[in-house]
Amino acid sequence: MAFTLPNLPYDFSALEPVIDTQTMQIHHGKHHGTYVTNLNNAIAGKVQLESKSAEALISDLASVQEDIRTAVRNNGGGHVNHSMFWQIMAPKGKGGGGEPTGELAAAINVNFGSFADFKTRFMEAGAKRFGSGWAWLVLKSGKLLIGSTANQDNPLMGDAVAGLSGKPVMGLDVWEHAYYLKYQNRRPDYMTAWWDVVNWTKIAELYKNAL
Ligand code: MN3
């Protein structure tokens, strides 16, 4: 069964002014759309791969034949990463922004000292990622960890492939295509503004599932 581009859970303009409408349209329709198309093309006719979820595919790249492994890594990663990214955002004041609560808030305090310290370290991870990639919060062996990956690598790919492992709890796209139209080269400004559209309810759900 072919993978499909999921609809956004809000309008293209819903994350204004943090993320502009045109960026959302191009990012979702063109970038994410292309990852889906290319993933489907890569695995077309390979029944064993077609029957897997995208998460399962990227979690076991060693089982993917070599001639399409890079395509599955890049486009499968792109599909999984963006599918999560849209879900963990919401319009400011309507599910977006504020602070985590409950178990997730407690875990962040235990692992990073405070929510403010967590934010600082998460943004450092995004700022230090040279070129294109993602900043991550992952759950590994019961602990929350911050890290980053290059390109469309996902922590599910494991340390040997992605240089980071664990179950993704939140991921921030720091590719220029995610912010360039509005923020140009100012990645830190994009990351600072992004907190206003973070959907902590959804992230708490992902944390609970990861546990
Ligand atoms: Mn992207």
Side-chain angles (χ1 to χ4, degrees), residues 7 18 25-26 34 49 58 74 100 111 134-136 142 159 195 204:
N7 289 326
V18 174
Q25 287 168 333
I26 297 170
T34 300
L49 300 181
I58 65 164
N74 290 337
N111 286 277
W134 290 75
W136 296 101
D159 284 308
W195 298 106

mmCIF file of all heavy atoms in Angstrom, residues 7 18 25-26 34 49 58 74 100 111 134-136 142 159 195 204:
data_model
loop_
_atom_site.group_PDB
_atom_site.id
_atom_site.type_symbol
_atom_site.label_atom_id
_atom_site.label_comp_id
_atom_site.label_asym_id
_atom_site.label_seq_id
_atom_site.Cartn_x
_atom_site.Cartn_y
_atom_site.Cartn_z
ATOM 1 N N ASN A 7 -2.955 15.181 5.572
ATOM 2 C CA ASN A 7 -3.406 16.570 5.627
ATOM 3 C C ASN A 7 -2.861 17.232 6.888
ATOM 4 O O ASN A 7 -2.654 16.564 7.897
ATOM 5 C CB ASN A 7 -4.928 16.644 5.663
ATOM 6 C CG ASN A 7 -5.545 16.249 4.338
ATOM 7 O OD1 ASN A 7 -4.977 16.511 3.272
ATOM 8 N ND2 ASN A 7 -6.686 15.608 4.398
ATOM 9 N N VAL A 18 4.146 33.025 13.258
ATOM 10 C CA VAL A 18 5.388 32.288 13.549
ATOM 11 C C VAL A 18 5.905 31.607 12.285
ATOM 12 O O VAL A 18 7.083 31.710 11.939
ATOM 13 C CB VAL A 18 5.160 31.253 14.678
ATOM 14 C CG1 VAL A 18 6.388 30.381 14.881
ATOM 15 C CG2 VAL A 18 4.786 31.971 15.977
ATOM 16 N N GLN A 25 2.697 26.047 2.869
ATOM 17 C CA GLN A 25 2.202 25.439 1.617
ATOM 18 C C GLN A 25 3.324 24.702 0.884
ATOM 19 O O GLN A 25 3.150 23.556 0.452
ATOM 20 C CB GLN A 25 1.608 26.525 0.709
ATOM 21 C CG GLN A 25 0.268 27.028 1.216
ATOM 22 C CD GLN A 25 -0.193 28.294 0.496
ATOM 23 O OE1 GLN A 25 0.617 29.073 0.002
ATOM 24 N NE2 GLN A 25 -1.504 28.510 0.467
ATOM 25 N N ILE A 26 4.466 25.356 0.754
ATOM 26 C CA ILE A 26 5.583 24.743 0.020
ATOM 27 C C ILE A 26 6.161 23.571 0.823
ATOM 28 O O ILE A 26 6.458 22.513 0.271
ATOM 29 C CB ILE A 26 6.680 25.795 -0.268
ATOM 30 C CG1 ILE A 26 6.123 26.893 -1.180
ATOM 31 C CG2 ILE A 26 7.912 25.140 -0.889
ATOM 32 C CD1 ILE A 26 7.035 28.093 -1.333
ATOM 33 N N THR A 34 7.051 15.472 -1.906
ATOM 34 C CA THR A 34 8.103 14.834 -2.706
ATOM 35 C C THR A 34 8.723 13.648 -1.966
ATOM 36 O O THR A 34 9.042 12.625 -2.579
ATOM 37 C CB THR A 34 9.188 15.870 -3.075
ATOM 38 O OG1 THR A 34 8.555 16.916 -3.825
ATOM 39 C CG2 THR A 34 10.294 15.251 -3.914
ATOM 40 N N LEU A 49 8.658 -4.688 1.619
ATOM 41 C CA LEU A 49 8.841 -3.318 2.104
ATOM 42 C C LEU A 49 7.517 -2.560 2.073
ATOM 43 O O LEU A 49 7.213 -1.776 2.972
ATOM 44 C CB LEU A 49 9.887 -2.581 1.264
ATOM 45 C CG LEU A 49 11.295 -3.197 1.258
ATOM 46 C CD1 LEU A 49 12.239 -2.359 0.406
ATOM 47 C CD2 LEU A 49 11.856 -3.334 2.678
ATOM 48 N N ILE A 58 12.245 2.677 8.397
ATOM 49 C CA ILE A 58 13.457 3.430 8.744
ATOM 50 C C ILE A 58 14.128 2.880 10.005
ATOM 51 O O ILE A 58 15.288 3.177 10.261
ATOM 52 C CB ILE A 58 13.191 4.948 8.888
ATOM 53 C CG1 ILE A 58 12.268 5.250 10.069
ATOM 54 C CG2 ILE A 58 12.658 5.532 7.582
ATOM 55 C CD1 ILE A 58 12.288 6.720 10.485
ATOM 56 N N ASN A 74 16.452 8.666 3.199
ATOM 57 C CA ASN A 74 16.164 10.098 3.031
ATOM 58 C C ASN A 74 14.666 10.388 2.934
ATOM 59 O O ASN A 74 14.152 11.293 3.579
ATOM 60 C CB ASN A 74 16.858 10.634 1.781
ATOM 61 C CG ASN A 74 18.368 10.689 1.956
ATOM 62 O OD1 ASN A 74 18.875 10.742 3.080
ATOM 63 N ND2 ASN A 74 19.094 10.662 0.852
ATOM 64 N N PRO A 100 4.706 22.602 28.934
ATOM 65 C CA PRO A 100 4.203 21.257 29.188
ATOM 66 C C PRO A 100 3.665 21.141 30.620
ATOM 67 O O PRO A 100 4.044 21.921 31.494
ATOM 68 C CB PRO A 100 5.433 20.373 28.990
ATOM 69 C CG PRO A 100 6.608 21.279 29.151
ATOM 70 C CD PRO A 100 6.159 22.640 28.714
ATOM 71 N N ASN A 111 15.140 15.734 34.068
ATOM 72 C CA ASN A 111 16.242 15.473 33.135
ATOM 73 C C ASN A 111 17.054 16.711 32.787
ATOM 74 O O ASN A 111 18.227 16.601 32.426
ATOM 75 C CB ASN A 111 15.706 14.838 31.846
ATOM 76 C CG ASN A 111 15.308 13.381 32.044
ATOM 77 O OD1 ASN A 111 16.156 12.503 31.999
ATOM 78 N ND2 ASN A 111 14.036 13.124 32.302
ATOM 79 N N TRP A 134 17.617 18.160 11.953
ATOM 80 C CA TRP A 134 16.541 18.226 12.943
ATOM 81 C C TRP A 134 17.115 18.247 14.353
ATOM 82 O O TRP A 134 18.118 17.582 14.615
ATOM 83 C CB TRP A 134 15.643 16.981 12.820
ATOM 84 C CG TRP A 134 14.818 16.968 11.568
ATOM 85 C CD1 TRP A 134 15.263 16.706 10.301
ATOM 86 C CD2 TRP A 134 13.418 17.245 11.450
ATOM 87 N NE1 TRP A 134 14.229 16.804 9.408
ATOM 88 C CE2 TRP A 134 13.080 17.128 10.085
ATOM 89 C CE3 TRP A 134 12.419 17.569 12.370
ATOM 90 C CZ2 TRP A 134 11.781 17.326 9.615
ATOM 91 C CZ3 TRP A 134 11.127 17.773 11.907
ATOM 92 C CH2 TRP A 134 10.820 17.649 10.539
ATOM 93 N N ALA A 135 16.453 18.981 15.249
ATOM 94 C CA ALA A 135 16.722 18.902 16.686
ATOM 95 C C ALA A 135 15.671 17.974 17.281
ATOM 96 O O ALA A 135 14.508 17.989 16.862
ATOM 97 C CB ALA A 135 16.627 20.277 17.325
ATOM 98 N N TRP A 136 16.094 17.156 18.254
ATOM 99 C CA TRP A 136 15.203 16.123 18.798
ATOM 100 C C TRP A 136 15.181 16.096 20.316
ATOM 101 O O TRP A 136 16.209 16.327 20.954
ATOM 102 C CB TRP A 136 15.677 14.724 18.348
ATOM 103 C CG TRP A 136 15.629 14.492 16.880
ATOM 104 C CD1 TRP A 136 16.685 14.547 16.013
ATOM 105 C CD2 TRP A 136 14.474 14.150 16.088
ATOM 106 N NE1 TRP A 136 16.249 14.263 14.738
ATOM 107 C CE2 TRP A 136 14.907 14.020 14.760
ATOM 108 C CE3 TRP A 136 13.126 13.951 16.395
ATOM 109 C CZ2 TRP A 136 14.041 13.695 13.720
ATOM 110 C CZ3 TRP A 136 12.256 13.634 15.369
ATOM 111 C CH2 TRP A 136 12.717 13.508 14.043
ATOM 112 N N GLY A 142 14.347 5.134 29.422
ATOM 113 C CA GLY A 142 13.602 5.827 30.466
ATOM 114 C C GLY A 142 14.024 7.259 30.718
ATOM 115 O O GLY A 142 13.452 7.940 31.562
ATOM 116 N N ASP A 159 21.899 4.773 16.384
ATOM 117 C CA ASP A 159 23.171 5.497 16.477
ATOM 118 C C ASP A 159 24.060 5.309 15.254
ATOM 119 O O ASP A 159 24.676 6.259 14.776
ATOM 120 C CB ASP A 159 23.941 5.031 17.714
ATOM 121 C CG ASP A 159 23.360 5.624 18.992
ATOM 122 O OD1 ASP A 159 23.212 6.858 19.038
ATOM 123 O OD2 ASP A 159 23.056 4.860 19.906
ATOM 124 N N TRP A 195 8.437 28.233 19.713
ATOM 125 C CA TRP A 195 7.821 27.777 20.973
ATOM 126 C C TRP A 195 6.359 28.207 21.082
ATOM 127 O O TRP A 195 5.578 27.563 21.782
ATOM 128 C CB TRP A 195 8.622 28.281 22.180
ATOM 129 C CG TRP A 195 10.033 27.750 22.178
ATOM 130 C CD1 TRP A 195 11.172 28.448 21.881
ATOM 131 C CD2 TRP A 195 10.454 26.401 22.451
ATOM 132 N NE1 TRP A 195 12.267 27.624 21.955
ATOM 133 C CE2 TRP A 195 11.865 26.363 22.309
ATOM 134 C CE3 TRP A 195 9.785 25.220 22.803
ATOM 135 C CZ2 TRP A 195 12.612 25.191 22.496
ATOM 136 C CZ3 TRP A 195 10.533 24.055 22.998
ATOM 137 C CH2 TRP A 195 11.916 24.055 22.846
ATOM 138 N N ALA A 204 3.026 15.491 24.888
ATOM 139 C CA ALA A 204 2.811 14.687 26.097
ATOM 140 C C ALA A 204 2.268 13.313 25.738
ATOM 141 O O ALA A 204 2.615 12.302 26.359
ATOM 142 C CB ALA A 204 1.844 15.413 27.040
#
